[in-house]
Amino acid sequence: QGCTQKYIVKNYFYYYLFKFSAALGEEIFYITFLPFIYWNIDHSVSRRMIIVWSTVMYIGQVSKDILKWPRPLSPPVVKLEMRTDAEYGMPSTHAMAATAISFSFLLATVNQYKYPFELGLVAAFVFSMLVCLSRLYTGMHTVLDVIGGALISAVLLVLLYPAWDMIDHLLLTSPFCPLLSIVVPLVLCYNYPKLDYYSPTRGDTTTILGAGAGATVGFWLNNQYTAPDYTSENFQLGFPLITGKIVVVMLARFFVGIFVVLLTRQLMKSVVLGMLGYRYKFPIGDLEARRQLEVEVPYKFITYSSVGFSATVIVPLLHEQLGLM
């Protein structure tokens, strides 16, 4: 009921700032931001960030449905979002994702590119802080939810960082990588904690793990078959040397890539839902049927693993054909 509360916006600066900041913690942002890093910055940076993102988000989503801590009561707070209100509150996965992504990007790039560590640290702190504060402003989390999410993410990042190189090497070279990259996430999704009512956490988790699985298979294939790599000297020397021409190429790569990714997503959604609808005898528009375990998991996983695979394999090949490498 809290989501239907009427409210009056008195400060539009804070309202739009924190609504925008909240969007920076959504899965759709990371599913576009991480491919941008892959297409324009560095493959190794993107791989490490995807490892961290998938791990942190899975642990955060599962923790919510195990702890079952409620979100803030409304009233007294006014909730500015509707979709995530069905989820539990502790920990804030927005806070976890923002902390993990911003600081993993800092750690992965600071020794490879020419920029001051202090500047990167401030940028990572501001990004994560804006997302964390947005969860308080929109009424979706308590202070404890946000602090808990950020701390859990920081601990996981500290634990993962020393193993980055080893994990990355295994993902690129192990003959078992493609099989494990698909089987392990699927097992985790099918054995997601059960709730007494429907929550979007299982679907969101399947989306994240599916995208990570598809991208990981793509990384392995690229390494095995020496797919095109973005190794322009201008990019490798550091951010200060980025010119107008390079910006145009980066934007071209991004828009071409996003078009392919969105097209893949739409096509796979239609195909997979059509096949599942035929198998389980339900119309594609039946929302309740799409929320069932036997439909939601394969639908989300196949769709977004295709998106991850397309972003890491199909898009680079297309970039090469278009002369954007």
Side-chain angles (χ1 to χ4, degrees):
Q1 292 102 353
C3 292
T4 60
Q5 269 187 291
K6 293 182 179 180
Y7 58 88
I8 299 174
V9 178
K10 295 182 178 180
N11 190 315
Y12 282 95
F13 174 76
Y14 287 138
Y15 177 78
Y16 288 113
L17 172 65
F18 290 125
K19 289 285 281 186
F20 173 75
S21 300
L24 297 178
E26 299 288 347
E27 287 79 7
I28 190 63
F29 169 75
Y30 295 115
I31 291 176
T32 53
F33 173 72
L34 293 174
F36 178 86
I37 300 299
Y38 187 78
W39 299 328
N40 289 305
I41 305 292
D42 191 294
H43 282 191
S44 64
V45 172
S46 179
R47 290 196 303 267
R48 284 160 172 75
M49 293 177 71
I50 287 174
I51 291 169
V52 171
W53 178 62
S54 301
T55 304
V56 164
M57 289 301 289
Y58 175 76
I59 292 174
Q61 296 283 69
V62 168
S63 298
K64 278 186 178 183
D65 290 339
I66 291 176
L67 293 174
K68 297 183 179 180
W69 286 22
R71 289 185 181 271
L73 294 176
S74 178
V77 304
V78 175
K79 296 184 178 180
L80 306 185
E81 295 179 13
M82 296 184 65
R83 178 179 178 274
T84 57
D85 191 45
E87 300 177 7
Y88 289 107
M90 177 67 173
S92 166
T93 48
H94 275 70
M96 292 183 70
T99 302
I101 287 292
S102 57
F103 283 95
S104 63
F105 182 79
L106 172 65
L107 293 172
T109 60
V110 69
N111 292 323
Q112 297 187 47
Y113 297 93
K114 296 177 181 178
Y115 69 88
F117 174 77
E118 294 77 10
L119 178 63
L121 185 63
V122 169
F125 180 80
V126 169
F127 180 88
S128 56
M129 184 58 66
L130 281 174
V131 175
C132 290
L133 290 176
S134 75
R135 308 316 290 158
L136 303 178
Y137 182 87
T138 55
M140 302 312 297
H141 286 286
T142 65
V143 174
L144 186 59
D145 294 342
V146 170
I147 293 176
L151 287 178
I152 292 170
S153 188
V155 170
L156 291 172
L157 190 56
V158 168
L159 294 175
L160 283 170
Y161 180 69
W164 265 6
D165 291 337
M166 180 187 69
I167 295 172
D168 190 51
H169 177 73
L170 289 174
L171 291 180
L172 294 178
T173 61
S174 173
F176 302 105
C177 174
L179 178 63
L180 293 177
S181 297
I182 298 298
V183 172
V184 172
L186 268 177
V187 169
L188 293 175
C189 292
Y190 274 108
N191 290 277
Y192 193 84
K194 293 180 174 59
L195 299 176
D196 296 330
Y197 65 94
Y198 177 78
S199 167
T201 49
R202 185 182 64 203
D204 291 343
T205 304
T206 306
T207 295
I208 293 165
L209 293 185
T216 302
V217 173
F219 296 149
W220 184 86
L221 280 175
N222 288 342
N223 186 66
Q224 299 299 312
Y225 298 101
T226 60
D229 198 357
Y230 303 95
T231 55
S232 169
E233 185 176 338
N234 290 320
F235 291 103
Q236 298 303 319
L237 288 175
F239 296 116
L241 297 181
I242 292 179
T243 64
K245 180 180 179 181
I246 293 177
V247 170
V248 171
V249 173
M250 292 172 69
L251 290 175
R253 289 175 179 174
F254 177 71
F255 286 117
V256 168
I258 287 300
F259 174 78
V260 173
V261 163
L262 293 178
L263 181 62
T264 301
R265 176 176 174 267
Q266 190 60 41
L267 287 174
M268 293 306 298
K269 281 180 66 175
S270 300
V271 171
V272 175
L273 271 179
M275 293 175 65
L276 290 171
Y278 178 79
R279 168 67 177 82
Y280 293 106
K281 311 299 182 187
F282 68 88
I284 292 178
D286 188 341
L287 185 60
E288 286 302 316
R290 289 165 57 174
R291 289 176 171 179
Q292 299 304 309
L293 175 68
E294 62 273 14
V295 174
E296 184 176 58
V297 170
Y299 155 53
K300 296 273 189 179
F301 192 87
I302 295 173
T303 298
Y304 286 95
S305 61
S306 300
V307 167
F309 183 83
S310 176
T312 54
V313 176
I314 306 301
V315 171
L317 291 173
L318 183 57
H319 285 167
E320 184 180 39
Q321 295 298 314
L322 295 174
L324 296 174
M325 300 302 292

Short mmCIF file of all heavy atoms in Angstrom, two decimals, residues 212-273:
data_model
loop_
_atom_site.label_atom_id
_atom_site.label_comp_id
_atom_site.label_asym_id
_atom_site.label_seq_id
_atom_site.Cartn_x
_atom_site.Cartn_y
_atom_site.Cartn_z
N GLY A 212 25.97 -13.50 -16.90
CA GLY A 212 27.35 -13.84 -16.56
C GLY A 212 27.79 -15.14 -17.20
O GLY A 212 28.93 -15.27 -17.67
N ALA A 213 26.89 -16.13 -17.25
CA ALA A 213 27.23 -17.43 -17.85
C ALA A 213 27.49 -17.30 -19.34
O ALA A 213 28.48 -17.83 -19.88
CB ALA A 213 26.09 -18.42 -17.60
N GLY A 214 26.62 -16.58 -20.04
CA GLY A 214 26.81 -16.39 -21.47
C GLY A 214 28.09 -15.64 -21.79
O GLY A 214 28.82 -15.98 -22.73
N ALA A 215 28.38 -14.60 -20.99
CA ALA A 215 29.61 -13.83 -21.20
C ALA A 215 30.84 -14.69 -20.93
O ALA A 215 31.83 -14.62 -21.67
CB ALA A 215 29.61 -12.61 -20.28
N THR A 216 30.79 -15.54 -19.90
CA THR A 216 31.93 -16.38 -19.57
C THR A 216 32.23 -17.39 -20.67
O THR A 216 33.39 -17.62 -21.02
CB THR A 216 31.66 -17.12 -18.24
OG1 THR A 216 31.40 -16.16 -17.20
CG2 THR A 216 32.86 -17.97 -17.84
N VAL A 217 31.18 -17.98 -21.23
CA VAL A 217 31.37 -18.88 -22.37
C VAL A 217 31.98 -18.11 -23.54
O VAL A 217 32.87 -18.62 -24.24
CB VAL A 217 30.04 -19.54 -22.78
CG1 VAL A 217 30.21 -20.33 -24.07
CG2 VAL A 217 29.52 -20.45 -21.67
N GLY A 218 31.53 -16.88 -23.73
CA GLY A 218 32.09 -16.05 -24.79
C GLY A 218 33.56 -15.74 -24.56
O GLY A 218 34.37 -15.79 -25.50
N PHE A 219 33.94 -15.46 -23.31
CA PHE A 219 35.36 -15.21 -23.00
C PHE A 219 36.20 -16.42 -23.36
O PHE A 219 37.28 -16.30 -23.94
CB PHE A 219 35.53 -14.92 -21.51
CG PHE A 219 34.83 -13.67 -21.02
CD1 PHE A 219 34.34 -13.60 -19.72
CD2 PHE A 219 34.67 -12.58 -21.86
CE1 PHE A 219 33.71 -12.45 -19.26
CE2 PHE A 219 34.03 -11.43 -21.41
CZ PHE A 219 33.55 -11.36 -20.11
N TRP A 220 35.70 -17.60 -22.99
CA TRP A 220 36.45 -18.83 -23.24
C TRP A 220 36.62 -19.07 -24.75
O TRP A 220 37.71 -19.40 -25.21
CB TRP A 220 35.72 -20.00 -22.59
CG TRP A 220 36.44 -21.31 -22.70
CD1 TRP A 220 37.40 -21.80 -21.87
CD2 TRP A 220 36.23 -22.31 -23.72
NE1 TRP A 220 37.81 -23.04 -22.29
CE2 TRP A 220 37.13 -23.38 -23.43
CE3 TRP A 220 35.40 -22.41 -24.82
CZ2 TRP A 220 37.19 -24.53 -24.21
CZ3 TRP A 220 35.47 -23.55 -25.61
CH2 TRP A 220 36.35 -24.59 -25.30
N LEU A 221 35.53 -18.91 -25.49
CA LEU A 221 35.60 -19.11 -26.94
C LEU A 221 36.56 -18.11 -27.59
O LEU A 221 37.34 -18.47 -28.48
CB LEU A 221 34.22 -18.97 -27.55
CG LEU A 221 33.29 -20.18 -27.45
CD1 LEU A 221 31.91 -19.83 -28.00
CD2 LEU A 221 33.87 -21.37 -28.21
N ASN A 222 36.49 -16.86 -27.16
CA ASN A 222 37.39 -15.84 -27.71
C ASN A 222 38.84 -16.21 -27.48
O ASN A 222 39.69 -16.03 -28.36
CB ASN A 222 37.09 -14.48 -27.09
CG ASN A 222 35.78 -13.90 -27.59
OD1 ASN A 222 35.26 -14.32 -28.60
ND2 ASN A 222 35.26 -12.94 -26.85
N ASN A 223 39.13 -16.72 -26.30
CA ASN A 223 40.51 -17.09 -26.00
C ASN A 223 40.95 -18.32 -26.80
O ASN A 223 42.11 -18.40 -27.23
CB ASN A 223 40.65 -17.37 -24.50
CG ASN A 223 42.09 -17.61 -24.09
OD1 ASN A 223 42.92 -16.72 -24.16
ND2 ASN A 223 42.40 -18.83 -23.65
N GLN A 224 40.04 -19.26 -27.00
CA GLN A 224 40.39 -20.48 -27.72
C GLN A 224 40.62 -20.22 -29.21
O GLN A 224 41.49 -20.83 -29.83
CB GLN A 224 39.28 -21.53 -27.56
CG GLN A 224 39.03 -21.97 -26.13
CD GLN A 224 40.24 -22.60 -25.49
OE1 GLN A 224 40.88 -23.47 -26.07
NE2 GLN A 224 40.59 -22.14 -24.29
N TYR A 225 39.84 -19.31 -29.76
CA TYR A 225 39.87 -19.11 -31.21
C TYR A 225 40.39 -17.74 -31.61
O TYR A 225 40.15 -17.27 -32.72
CB TYR A 225 38.48 -19.35 -31.80
CG TYR A 225 38.00 -20.76 -31.56
CD1 TYR A 225 37.10 -21.05 -30.54
CD2 TYR A 225 38.49 -21.81 -32.32
CE1 TYR A 225 36.68 -22.35 -30.30
CE2 TYR A 225 38.07 -23.12 -32.10
CZ TYR A 225 37.17 -23.38 -31.08
OH TYR A 225 36.76 -24.67 -30.84
N THR A 226 41.09 -17.09 -30.68
CA THR A 226 41.73 -15.80 -30.93
C THR A 226 40.80 -14.84 -31.66
O THR A 226 41.10 -14.35 -32.76
CB THR A 226 43.04 -15.97 -31.73
OG1 THR A 226 42.74 -16.58 -33.00
CG2 THR A 226 44.04 -16.80 -30.98
N ALA A 227 39.67 -14.58 -31.05
CA ALA A 227 38.70 -13.64 -31.62
C ALA A 227 39.29 -12.23 -31.59
O ALA A 227 40.25 -11.96 -30.88
CB ALA A 227 37.40 -13.70 -30.83
N PRO A 228 38.70 -11.29 -32.35
CA PRO A 228 39.23 -9.93 -32.39
C PRO A 228 39.27 -9.28 -31.01
O PRO A 228 38.35 -9.45 -30.22
CB PRO A 228 38.26 -9.19 -33.33
CG PRO A 228 37.04 -10.05 -33.37
CD PRO A 228 37.53 -11.45 -33.21
N ASP A 229 40.34 -8.58 -30.75
CA ASP A 229 40.52 -7.92 -29.46
C ASP A 229 40.63 -6.42 -29.67
O ASP A 229 41.15 -5.97 -30.68
CB ASP A 229 41.79 -8.44 -28.78
CG ASP A 229 41.82 -8.15 -27.29
OD1 ASP A 229 40.87 -7.49 -26.82
OD2 ASP A 229 42.76 -8.58 -26.62
N TYR A 230 40.15 -5.65 -28.70
CA TYR A 230 40.21 -4.19 -28.79
C TYR A 230 41.55 -3.73 -28.23
O TYR A 230 41.68 -3.42 -27.05
CB TYR A 230 39.05 -3.56 -28.01
CG TYR A 230 37.69 -4.03 -28.47
CD1 TYR A 230 37.05 -5.09 -27.84
CD2 TYR A 230 37.07 -3.42 -29.55
CE1 TYR A 230 35.80 -5.52 -28.28
CE2 TYR A 230 35.83 -3.85 -29.99
CZ TYR A 230 35.20 -4.89 -29.35
OH TYR A 230 33.98 -5.31 -29.78
N THR A 231 42.56 -3.67 -29.07
CA THR A 231 43.91 -3.38 -28.59
C THR A 231 44.46 -2.09 -29.20
O THR A 231 45.65 -1.96 -29.42
CB THR A 231 44.86 -4.53 -28.94
OG1 THR A 231 44.80 -4.77 -30.36
CG2 THR A 231 44.48 -5.80 -28.20
N SER A 232 43.60 -1.16 -29.51
CA SER A 232 44.07 0.11 -30.04
C SER A 232 45.06 0.74 -29.08
O SER A 232 44.83 0.85 -27.87
CB SER A 232 42.89 1.08 -30.24
OG SER A 232 43.34 2.38 -30.51
N GLU A 233 46.21 1.19 -29.61
CA GLU A 233 47.27 1.74 -28.76
C GLU A 233 46.78 2.94 -27.96
O GLU A 233 47.16 3.15 -26.82
CB GLU A 233 48.45 2.15 -29.63
CG GLU A 233 49.66 2.62 -28.84
CD GLU A 233 50.83 2.93 -29.75
OE1 GLU A 233 50.86 2.40 -30.87
OE2 GLU A 233 51.70 3.70 -29.33
N ASN A 234 45.89 3.72 -28.54
CA ASN A 234 45.40 4.91 -27.84
C ASN A 234 44.65 4.56 -26.57
O ASN A 234 44.72 5.27 -25.58
CB ASN A 234 44.49 5.72 -28.78
CG ASN A 234 45.26 6.36 -29.92
OD1 ASN A 234 46.35 6.86 -29.70
ND2 ASN A 234 44.70 6.34 -31.12
N PHE A 235 43.91 3.45 -26.60
CA PHE A 235 43.16 3.05 -25.43
C PHE A 235 44.10 2.52 -24.35
O PHE A 235 43.91 2.76 -23.17
CB PHE A 235 42.13 1.97 -25.78
CG PHE A 235 41.01 2.49 -26.64
CD1 PHE A 235 40.98 2.24 -28.00
CD2 PHE A 235 40.01 3.24 -26.09
CE1 PHE A 235 39.96 2.71 -28.78
CE2 PHE A 235 38.98 3.72 -26.87
CZ PHE A 235 38.95 3.46 -28.21
N GLN A 236 45.12 1.78 -24.75
CA GLN A 236 45.98 1.14 -23.79
C GLN A 236 46.90 2.14 -23.06
O GLN A 236 47.35 1.88 -21.97
CB GLN A 236 46.84 0.07 -24.47
CG GLN A 236 46.02 -1.06 -25.10
CD GLN A 236 45.13 -1.76 -24.10
OE1 GLN A 236 45.55 -2.01 -22.98
NE2 GLN A 236 43.90 -2.05 -24.47
N LEU A 237 47.19 3.28 -23.69
CA LEU A 237 48.10 4.24 -23.07
C LEU A 237 47.45 5.03 -21.93
O LEU A 237 48.13 5.54 -21.08
CB LEU A 237 48.63 5.22 -24.13
CG LEU A 237 49.64 4.62 -25.11
CD1 LEU A 237 50.00 5.65 -26.17
CD2 LEU A 237 50.89 4.15 -24.38
N GLY A 238 46.15 5.14 -21.94
CA GLY A 238 45.52 5.81 -20.82
C GLY A 238 44.43 6.78 -21.24
O GLY A 238 44.38 7.26 -22.36
N PHE A 239 43.55 7.09 -20.30
CA PHE A 239 42.39 7.92 -20.57
C PHE A 239 42.73 9.34 -21.02
O PHE A 239 42.01 9.91 -21.83
CB PHE A 239 41.50 7.97 -19.32
CG PHE A 239 40.93 6.64 -18.94
CD1 PHE A 239 41.26 6.04 -17.75
CD2 PHE A 239 40.07 5.99 -19.80
CE1 PHE A 239 40.74 4.80 -17.41
CE2 PHE A 239 39.54 4.75 -19.48
CZ PHE A 239 39.88 4.16 -18.27
N PRO A 240 43.79 9.98 -20.52
CA PRO A 240 44.06 11.36 -20.93
C PRO A 240 44.30 11.52 -22.43
O PRO A 240 44.20 12.61 -22.95
CB PRO A 240 45.32 11.72 -20.14
CG PRO A 240 45.29 10.83 -18.95
CD PRO A 240 44.71 9.55 -19.46
N LEU A 241 44.67 10.43 -23.14
CA LEU A 241 44.99 10.53 -24.55
C LEU A 241 43.78 10.28 -25.44
O LEU A 241 43.91 10.24 -26.65
CB LEU A 241 46.11 9.54 -24.90
CG LEU A 241 47.45 9.79 -24.21
CD1 LEU A 241 48.46 8.75 -24.65
CD2 LEU A 241 47.96 11.18 -24.50
N ILE A 242 42.62 10.10 -24.84
CA ILE A 242 41.42 9.87 -25.64
C ILE A 242 41.08 11.13 -26.43
O ILE A 242 40.95 12.22 -25.86
CB ILE A 242 40.23 9.46 -24.74
CG1 ILE A 242 40.49 8.07 -24.16
CG2 ILE A 242 38.94 9.45 -25.53
CD1 ILE A 242 39.41 7.58 -23.24
N THR A 243 40.95 11.00 -27.74
CA THR A 243 40.67 12.13 -28.61
C THR A 243 39.23 12.08 -29.10
O THR A 243 38.49 11.14 -28.84
CB THR A 243 41.62 12.08 -29.82
OG1 THR A 243 41.33 10.89 -30.58
CG2 THR A 243 43.08 12.08 -29.38
N GLY A 244 38.87 13.14 -29.86
CA GLY A 244 37.52 13.19 -30.40
C GLY A 244 37.22 12.03 -31.32
O GLY A 244 36.12 11.47 -31.30
N LYS A 245 38.21 11.64 -32.13
CA LYS A 245 38.02 10.52 -33.05
C LYS A 245 37.76 9.23 -32.28
O LYS A 245 36.89 8.43 -32.66
CB LYS A 245 39.25 10.37 -33.93
CG LYS A 245 39.14 9.23 -34.94
CD LYS A 245 40.39 9.12 -35.79
CE LYS A 245 40.29 7.95 -36.77
NZ LYS A 245 41.51 7.82 -37.61
N ILE A 246 38.51 9.04 -31.20
CA ILE A 246 38.34 7.83 -30.40
C ILE A 246 36.97 7.81 -29.74
O ILE A 246 36.32 6.76 -29.65
CB ILE A 246 39.46 7.72 -29.34
CG1 ILE A 246 40.80 7.51 -30.05
CG2 ILE A 246 39.18 6.59 -28.36
CD1 ILE A 246 41.97 7.47 -29.11
N VAL A 247 36.51 8.98 -29.28
CA VAL A 247 35.18 9.06 -28.68
C VAL A 247 34.11 8.64 -29.68
O VAL A 247 33.17 7.91 -29.35
CB VAL A 247 34.91 10.49 -28.16
CG1 VAL A 247 33.45 10.64 -27.75
CG2 VAL A 247 35.81 10.81 -26.99
N VAL A 248 34.26 9.08 -30.93
CA VAL A 248 33.29 8.70 -31.97
C VAL A 248 33.30 7.18 -32.18
O VAL A 248 32.24 6.55 -32.29
CB VAL A 248 33.62 9.43 -33.29
CG1 VAL A 248 32.76 8.88 -34.43
CG2 VAL A 248 33.38 10.92 -33.14
N VAL A 249 34.50 6.60 -32.22
CA VAL A 249 34.60 5.14 -32.40
C VAL A 249 33.97 4.42 -31.21
O VAL A 249 33.25 3.42 -31.39
CB VAL A 249 36.08 4.72 -32.56
CG1 VAL A 249 36.20 3.20 -32.57
CG2 VAL A 249 36.66 5.30 -33.84
N MET A 250 34.25 4.91 -30.01
CA MET A 250 33.68 4.29 -28.81
C MET A 250 32.15 4.33 -28.84
O MET A 250 31.49 3.34 -28.53
CB MET A 250 34.21 5.00 -27.56
CG MET A 250 35.68 4.79 -27.29
SD MET A 250 36.30 5.82 -25.93
CE MET A 250 35.48 5.08 -24.52
N LEU A 251 31.60 5.49 -29.21
CA LEU A 251 30.15 5.61 -29.28
C LEU A 251 29.57 4.71 -30.36
O LEU A 251 28.51 4.10 -30.18
CB LEU A 251 29.75 7.07 -29.52
CG LEU A 251 30.01 8.03 -28.36
CD1 LEU A 251 29.69 9.47 -28.77
CD2 LEU A 251 29.19 7.64 -27.14
N ALA A 252 30.28 4.63 -31.50
CA ALA A 252 29.81 3.76 -32.57
C ALA A 252 29.79 2.31 -32.11
O ALA A 252 28.82 1.57 -32.37
CB ALA A 252 30.70 3.92 -33.80
N ARG A 253 30.85 1.88 -31.45
CA ARG A 253 30.90 0.52 -30.92
C ARG A 253 29.73 0.28 -29.96
O ARG A 253 29.08 -0.76 -30.00
CB ARG A 253 32.21 0.29 -30.18
CG ARG A 253 33.45 0.20 -31.04
CD ARG A 253 34.66 0.09 -30.14
NE ARG A 253 35.90 -0.04 -30.91
CZ ARG A 253 37.11 -0.04 -30.36
NH1 ARG A 253 37.24 0.08 -29.05
NH2 ARG A 253 38.18 -0.17 -31.12
N PHE A 254 29.51 1.27 -29.09
CA PHE A 254 28.48 1.11 -28.08
C PHE A 254 27.09 0.98 -28.70
O PHE A 254 26.32 0.07 -28.37
CB PHE A 254 28.51 2.29 -27.11
CG PHE A 254 27.43 2.25 -26.08
CD1 PHE A 254 27.46 1.32 -25.05
CD2 PHE A 254 26.36 3.14 -26.13
CE1 PHE A 254 26.46 1.27 -24.09
CE2 PHE A 254 25.36 3.10 -25.18
CZ PHE A 254 25.41 2.16 -24.16
N PHE A 255 26.76 1.87 -29.62
CA PHE A 255 25.41 1.86 -30.19
C PHE A 255 25.18 0.64 -31.07
O PHE A 255 24.09 0.05 -31.07
CB PHE A 255 25.13 3.16 -30.94
CG PHE A 255 24.90 4.34 -30.04
CD1 PHE A 255 25.77 5.42 -30.04
CD2 PHE A 255 23.84 4.35 -29.15
CE1 PHE A 255 25.57 6.50 -29.20
CE2 PHE A 255 23.62 5.43 -28.29
CZ PHE A 255 24.50 6.51 -28.32
N VAL A 256 26.20 0.25 -31.83
CA VAL A 256 26.08 -0.98 -32.61
C VAL A 256 25.89 -2.17 -31.68
O VAL A 256 25.03 -3.04 -31.90
CB VAL A 256 27.33 -1.18 -33.50
CG1 VAL A 256 27.35 -2.60 -34.09
CG2 VAL A 256 27.37 -0.16 -34.62
N GLY A 257 26.72 -2.22 -30.62
CA GLY A 257 26.64 -3.32 -29.67
C GLY A 257 25.30 -3.39 -28.96
O GLY A 257 24.71 -4.47 -28.83
N ILE A 258 24.82 -2.24 -28.49
CA ILE A 258 23.55 -2.22 -27.77
C ILE A 258 22.39 -2.62 -28.68
O ILE A 258 21.47 -3.33 -28.26
CB ILE A 258 23.30 -0.82 -27.17
CG1 ILE A 258 24.23 -0.59 -25.98
CG2 ILE A 258 21.86 -0.66 -26.73
CD1 ILE A 258 24.06 -1.61 -24.85
N PHE A 259 22.45 -2.21 -29.95
CA PHE A 259 21.41 -2.61 -30.90
C PHE A 259 21.37 -4.14 -31.03
O PHE A 259 20.30 -4.75 -30.98
CB PHE A 259 21.66 -1.97 -32.27
CG PHE A 259 20.72 -2.46 -33.33
CD1 PHE A 259 19.42 -1.98 -33.40
CD2 PHE A 259 21.13 -3.42 -34.25
CE1 PHE A 259 18.53 -2.44 -34.37
CE2 PHE A 259 20.26 -3.89 -35.23
CZ PHE A 259 18.95 -3.40 -35.29
N VAL A 260 22.56 -4.74 -31.16
CA VAL A 260 22.62 -6.20 -31.30
C VAL A 260 22.15 -6.88 -30.01
O VAL A 260 21.41 -7.87 -30.05
CB VAL A 260 24.06 -6.64 -31.65
CG1 VAL A 260 24.18 -8.16 -31.64
CG2 VAL A 260 24.47 -6.10 -33.01
N VAL A 261 22.57 -6.35 -28.88
CA VAL A 261 22.18 -6.93 -27.59
C VAL A 261 20.67 -6.86 -27.39
O VAL A 261 20.03 -7.85 -26.99
CB VAL A 261 22.91 -6.20 -26.44
CG1 VAL A 261 22.25 -6.49 -25.10
CG2 VAL A 261 24.38 -6.62 -26.39
N LEU A 262 20.07 -5.71 -27.66
CA LEU A 262 18.62 -5.56 -27.50
C LEU A 262 17.86 -6.43 -28.50
O LEU A 262 16.81 -7.00 -28.17
CB LEU A 262 18.22 -4.09 -27.66
CG LEU A 262 18.72 -3.14 -26.57
CD1 LEU A 262 18.29 -1.71 -26.87
CD2 LEU A 262 18.20 -3.57 -25.20
N LEU A 263 18.38 -6.53 -29.71
CA LEU A 263 17.75 -7.39 -30.71
C LEU A 263 17.81 -8.85 -30.28
O LEU A 263 16.81 -9.59 -30.39
CB LEU A 263 18.44 -7.21 -32.06
CG LEU A 263 17.88 -8.02 -33.23
CD1 LEU A 263 16.43 -7.62 -33.51
CD2 LEU A 263 18.74 -7.83 -34.48
N THR A 264 18.96 -9.26 -29.77
CA THR A 264 19.11 -10.63 -29.26
C THR A 264 18.13 -10.89 -28.13
O THR A 264 17.47 -11.94 -28.10
CB THR A 264 20.55 -10.86 -28.77
OG1 THR A 264 21.47 -10.63 -29.83
CG2 THR A 264 20.72 -12.27 -28.24
N ARG A 265 18.05 -9.95 -27.22
CA ARG A 265 17.15 -10.09 -26.08
C ARG A 265 15.70 -10.24 -26.53
O ARG A 265 14.97 -11.13 -26.04
CB ARG A 265 17.29 -8.88 -25.16
CG ARG A 265 16.35 -8.83 -23.97
CD ARG A 265 16.67 -7.63 -23.10
NE ARG A 265 15.72 -7.45 -22.03
CZ ARG A 265 14.63 -6.68 -22.13
NH1 ARG A 265 14.36 -6.04 -23.26
NH2 ARG A 265 13.80 -6.56 -21.11
N GLN A 266 15.27 -9.40 -27.46
CA GLN A 266 13.89 -9.45 -27.91
C GLN A 266 13.58 -10.74 -28.66
O GLN A 266 12.54 -11.37 -28.44
CB GLN A 266 13.59 -8.24 -28.80
CG GLN A 266 12.12 -8.07 -29.13
CD GLN A 266 11.26 -7.89 -27.89
OE1 GLN A 266 11.65 -7.18 -26.95
NE2 GLN A 266 10.10 -8.53 -27.86
N LEU A 267 14.49 -11.15 -29.52
CA LEU A 267 14.28 -12.38 -30.29
C LEU A 267 14.24 -13.60 -29.39
O LEU A 267 13.36 -14.47 -29.53
CB LEU A 267 15.39 -12.54 -31.33
CG LEU A 267 15.34 -11.60 -32.54
CD1 LEU A 267 16.57 -11.78 -33.41
CD2 LEU A 267 14.07 -11.84 -33.36
N MET A 268 15.18 -13.67 -28.44
CA MET A 268 15.23 -14.83 -27.56
C MET A 268 14.04 -14.88 -26.62
O MET A 268 13.54 -15.96 -26.31
CB MET A 268 16.55 -14.83 -26.78
CG MET A 268 17.78 -15.06 -27.64
SD MET A 268 17.68 -16.55 -28.66
CE MET A 268 17.56 -17.83 -27.40
N LYS A 269 13.60 -13.73 -26.15
CA LYS A 269 12.40 -13.70 -25.31
C LYS A 269 11.21 -14.30 -26.05
O LYS A 269 10.48 -15.14 -25.51
CB LYS A 269 12.08 -12.26 -24.89
CG LYS A 269 12.92 -11.72 -23.76
CD LYS A 269 12.53 -10.30 -23.42
CE LYS A 269 11.13 -10.21 -22.87
NZ LYS A 269 10.79 -8.83 -22.42
N SER A 270 11.03 -13.88 -27.29
CA SER A 270 9.89 -14.37 -28.07
C SER A 270 10.00 -15.87 -28.34
O SER A 270 9.03 -16.61 -28.18
CB SER A 270 9.81 -13.61 -29.39
OG SER A 270 9.64 -12.22 -29.16
N VAL A 271 11.20 -16.30 -28.74
CA VAL A 271 11.39 -17.72 -29.07
C VAL A 271 11.23 -18.61 -27.84
O VAL A 271 10.50 -19.61 -27.86
CB VAL A 271 12.78 -17.93 -29.72
CG1 VAL A 271 13.08 -19.42 -29.86
CG2 VAL A 271 12.86 -17.25 -31.07
N VAL A 272 11.92 -18.23 -26.75
CA VAL A 272 11.91 -19.08 -25.55
C VAL A 272 10.52 -19.10 -24.93
O VAL A 272 10.03 -20.17 -24.53
CB VAL A 272 12.97 -18.59 -24.53
CG1 VAL A 272 12.87 -19.40 -23.24
CG2 VAL A 272 14.36 -18.70 -25.12
N LEU A 273 9.87 -17.94 -24.83
CA LEU A 273 8.53 -17.91 -24.25
C LEU A 273 7.55 -18.70 -25.13
O LEU A 273 6.67 -19.39 -24.62
CB LEU A 273 8.05 -16.47 -24.10
CG LEU A 273 8.40 -15.77 -22.79
CD1 LEU A 273 7.89 -14.34 -22.80
CD2 LEU A 273 7.84 -16.53 -21.59
#
